[in-house]
Amino acid sequence: MTHDVSLALVAAGTVVVVWSSVASMLLFRGSALRRLHLLTPVTSLGAPLVGAGLCVQEGWGLTTGEIILVVGLLFLSGPVLSAALGRLAAQQEGLVAKSDSE
Amino acid sequence: MALIAGGLGPALVLACTRDPVNRLVGVQLATAVVVVVMLVVSVISRRSYDLIVPLAFVPLGFAGTLVFTRLLSGSDE
């Protein structure tokens, strides 16, 4: 039962990650701003699903704590990086002034 | 294998083509996928001490991407 739940969670996370990667390569050719929409599901949904599946498989312990820490860091840093990259892409496309620091 | 082929492959293609901003998006995507792959590999191989690698990789990737963002923005201060 535990193994089945773990496998389902990891499989779901893998589907999200693979789908986001493939779609970001194939769709929105040339537009980095639109491509960023496909980057966030990897850090906000795919990685937590995979991490949850691995935690269920491992059970309570230090390994699970470390997995939660890694996934948590990835979860928090993903939107920040997407915002920074989005701002850079907007500057490159002329939507935001380059001298605007706010 | 699905993560490496289906996740890392397109991310590397994206990181090697087009303009610098798109390449940086590809690098960030590859970073996230590599972290997930390392988590899975460390649990499958039953070597929990390997988890220190993704734990160190996440903040380094975060800082590195921000550095490249700053460099590409071209702001003069």
Side-chain angles (χ1 to χ4, degrees):
Chain A
M1 177 68 180
T2 303
H3 182 70
D4 293 337
V5 171
S6 166
L7 203 59
L9 287 171
V10 171
T14 302
V15 166
V16 171
V17 171
V18 171
W19 175 83
S20 294
S21 291
V22 174
S24 66
M25 183 183 70
L26 297 177
L27 301 177
F28 310 126
R29 291 181 180 273
S31 176
L33 271 177
R34 293 183 178 183
R35 196 165 275 141
L36 279 172
H37 287 294
L38 294 167
L39 173 61
T40 312
V42 175
T43 59
S44 299
L45 183 61
L49 279 174
V50 172
L54 296 176
C55 290
V56 168
Q57 179 69 30
E58 288 293 310
W60 291 109
L62 291 177
T63 304
T64 299
E66 200 160 0
I67 292 172
I68 291 172
L69 182 61
V70 172
V71 171
L73 285 175
L74 198 59
F75 182 81
L76 293 174
S77 65
V80 175
L81 289 177
S82 293
L85 288 171
R87 179 173 179 77
L88 175 64
Q91 286 177 343
Q92 297 287 340
E93 293 183 13
L95 299 172
V96 173
K98 288 190 175 183
S99 60
D100 185 9
S101 59
E102 295 183 19
Chain B
M1 282 305 297
L3 274 174
I4 293 174
L8 198 55
L12 290 177
V13 169
L14 194 59
C16 297
T17 57
R18 300 201 169 271
D19 58 297
V21 179
N22 277 298
R23 289 201 294 262
L24 197 53
V25 173
V27 167
Q28 172 56 20
L29 183 61
T31 301
V33 173
V34 164
V35 168
V36 174
V37 167
M38 285 194 283
L39 283 177
V40 173
V41 167
S42 68
V43 170
I44 287 177
S45 62
R46 308 299 289 178
R47 295 187 300 193
S48 60
Y49 50 82
D50 283 348
L51 285 171
I52 195 68
V53 177
L55 184 60
F57 194 59
V58 171
L60 287 176
F62 178 74
T65 304
L66 286 181
V67 166
F68 277 113
T69 304
R70 182 74 173 171
L71 286 173
L72 288 174
S73 68
S75 59
D76 298 323
E77 292 185 5

